[in-house]
Amino acid sequence: MKPIALTYHYKFLTLGFLFLLNTANAQWKNEIFNADPEQEFKSSKGLQFKKPLQLGLLQYTKDNEYFQPNSPGETFFGQRIWAIGELESARENQPLTIRLGLSIQFPFQQQVYQKLAAYPIVQLEYHGKKSMIQAGNIDAHVQHNLPDPVISYDYALSNPVEYGLNWRSKHKYWDWNSWLNWRQLAVTTTSQQEIISFGNRGNWQIVNQKNLQLNLPVYAMMYHKGGEDLAIPKNIQNKLSTGAGFQLSLIPQKWFLEIWKGFSNDFSPQRNQPFRNGDYWLFSATKQLSYNHRIQFNYFQGTEFHSPLGNPLFGSVNLNNPYKSMPLNNLLFARYSYNKKLNSNQSKGNAILEFRFEPIFKIPENEFLFNIGLYLKYTLGGKIAYQP
């Protein structure tokens, strides 16, 4: 039987519902990790042939101090450099773009060159009037606009390039995104399991006015970890995350409000963790204070919830150590971000500095947690939509 939250927790939920707490995007759009996932898909006429080249550098520092058995925290510090070339041959209604490049990650560790990782970039992107499909490298999972409990920006630092298939379709009142990501190959000699994730996200635009926008998003994401003929047999994992949201944007006031209700389900052949099913509520309110400053307030309540690709802070179980778990997880937290473009001359490159701070209060344990991040991103060259 699942534990029941304390009464005053539901008062928080009621208060959140009355004020329709929400964010335009749970991951809040930024220029450090995201390109433009909501782009319009337009066909070019005539014949075009161009070879822009983009060079990029990202310096990142992020420290998670959670102090919990299920999520003790982690530190990320390093650099990433990349070079991407773009070749486009666009006939009428048949635009095809090919991107080739390389992304190299330099994490700061005691033996850095043993951890240095190079990711080849080979992407085919086809645009129609209302849709786009990618093969090879695809938009990272942080660009699918899923709520925070089921995605983690930390993967954008530790696993920056993703491979698979990605399809987007955008219409007047709704848009849809489906993707498949082959995250890890099976290696039989070392018993490394394959990891595959695939999902769908839809968004219905109920109201789209100059001063007010109202959206109803839904998502479903599947995670599979397995493999045959491993030297040491391991349990197969099948996990499903689903959810629906309510998003309200008050444009003149620069308020973005959101409510999410989500579920998790583990239907693996063998039990891999203490909880088979779980659910959560997420209430958020974001205020754009000025062009550079943004603040967000959140309340999260999870009951036996788990997500293999989500931030472990929101989970009720440590997926690497199933004995470290807590059935009920209540978090009250804020986010502050400062985003600044450091140069105004685009011909000399695009430099962006971002600082983030997230104080977290865990109730009813009365524990204080936090994470802090500082990012510097510099790009030079052609304007290429795909960014590692």
Side-chain angles (χ1 to χ4, degrees), residues 97-206:
T97 301
I98 300 174
R99 299 186 179 100
L100 303 173
L102 184 68
S103 177
I104 302 177
Q105 187 102 331
F106 299 87
F108 180 79
Q109 296 184 3
Q110 185 175 4
Q111 296 176 320
V112 63
Y113 294 106
Q114 292 185 7
K115 299 296 182 180
L116 184 148
Y119 301 88
I121 296 173
V122 181
Q123 183 188 77
L124 278 71
E125 185 173 284
Y126 177 84
H127 281 239
K129 290 183 178 180
K130 297 290 186 179
S131 62
M132 177 271 287
I133 187 169
Q134 293 175 337
N137 299 108
I138 64 173
D139 292 337
H141 77 291
V142 295
Q143 297 186 40
H144 296 310
N145 287 334
L146 299 179
D148 283 308
V150 295
I151 65 100
S152 175
Y153 268 123
D154 293 347
Y155 281 110
L157 301 176
S158 62
N159 188 28
V161 178
E162 299 184 7
Y163 303 93
L165 294 170
N166 185 30
W167 176 75
R168 294 182 185 272
S169 181
K170 188 173 180 63
H171 301 264
K172 184 176 181 180
Y173 297 109
W174 62 275
D175 60 85
W176 193 265
N177 180 207
S178 298
W179 67 93
L180 182 149
N181 176 214
W182 205 300
R183 306 186 67 87
Q184 179 174 287
L185 296 175
V187 180
T188 57
T189 55
T190 61
S191 298
Q192 174 178 288
Q193 292 180 286
E194 66 180 1
I195 298 178
I196 304 172
S197 65
F198 51 92
N200 299 278
R201 182 192 187 274
N203 183 66
W204 281 265
Q205 197 168 69
I206 307 302

Side-chain angles (χ1 to χ4, degrees), residues 22-38:
N22 142 49
T23 61
N25 287 306
Q27 307 88 1
W28 39 352
K29 292 181 179 179
N30 64 85
E31 299 182 62
I32 297 296
F33 299 118
N34 286 10
D36 184 10
E38 303 301 336

Side-chain angles (χ1 to χ4, degrees), residues 119-303:
Y119 301 88
I121 296 173
V122 181
Q123 183 188 77
L124 278 71
E125 185 173 284
Y126 177 84
H127 281 239
K129 290 183 178 180
K130 297 290 186 179
S131 62
M132 177 271 287
I133 187 169
Q134 293 175 337
N137 299 108
I138 64 173
D139 292 337
H141 77 291
V142 295
Q143 297 186 40
H144 296 310
N145 287 334
L146 299 179
D148 283 308
V150 295
I151 65 100
S152 175
Y153 268 123
D154 293 347
Y155 281 110
L157 301 176
S158 62
N159 188 28
V161 178
E162 299 184 7
Y163 303 93
L165 294 170
N166 185 30
W167 176 75
R168 294 182 185 272
S169 181
K170 188 173 180 63
H171 301 264
K172 184 176 181 180
Y173 297 109
W174 62 275
D175 60 85
W176 193 265
N177 180 207
S178 298
W179 67 93
L180 182 149
N181 176 214
W182 205 300
R183 306 186 67 87
Q184 179 174 287
L185 296 175
V187 180
T188 57
T189 55
T190 61
S191 298
Q192 174 178 288
Q193 292 180 286
E194 66 180 1
I195 298 178
I196 304 172
S197 65
F198 51 92
N200 299 278
R201 182 192 187 274
N203 183 66
W204 281 265
Q205 197 168 69
I206 307 302
V207 179
N208 184 16
Q209 299 179 355
K210 182 178 180 180
N211 299 327
L212 177 69
Q213 292 182 357
L214 176 61
N215 298 308
L216 298 178
V218 296
Y219 72 87
M221 186 172 66
M222 175 74 181
Y223 174 92
H224 168 75
K225 186 175 183 180
E228 299 178 351
D229 299 325
L230 301 179
I232 301 176
K234 297 181 179 179
N235 288 349
I236 295 175
Q237 297 184 30
N238 296 316
K239 303 176 187 293
L240 177 67
S241 299
T242 58
F246 175 91
Q247 299 177 333
L248 178 67
S249 302
L250 307 176
I251 309 301
Q253 297 80 13
K254 297 183 178 179
W255 275 102
F256 308 99
L257 313 172
E258 187 169 32
I259 300 174
W260 281 97
K261 175 64 175 180
F263 303 88
S264 62
N265 175 252
D266 184 341
F267 57 97
S268 307
Q270 300 86 21
R271 182 181 286 266
N272 299 291
Q273 60 190 40
F275 311 131
R276 284 283 193 181
N277 305 311
D279 62 86
Y280 73 86
W281 283 98
L282 176 66
F283 301 89
S284 302
T286 301
K287 173 68 172 178
Q288 187 74 39
L289 300 175
S290 68
Y291 184 76
N292 297 322
H293 300 269
R294 181 182 297 180
I295 191 168
Q296 183 184 84
F297 304 96
N298 306 270
Y299 174 72
F300 170 84
Q301 177 179 294
T303 304

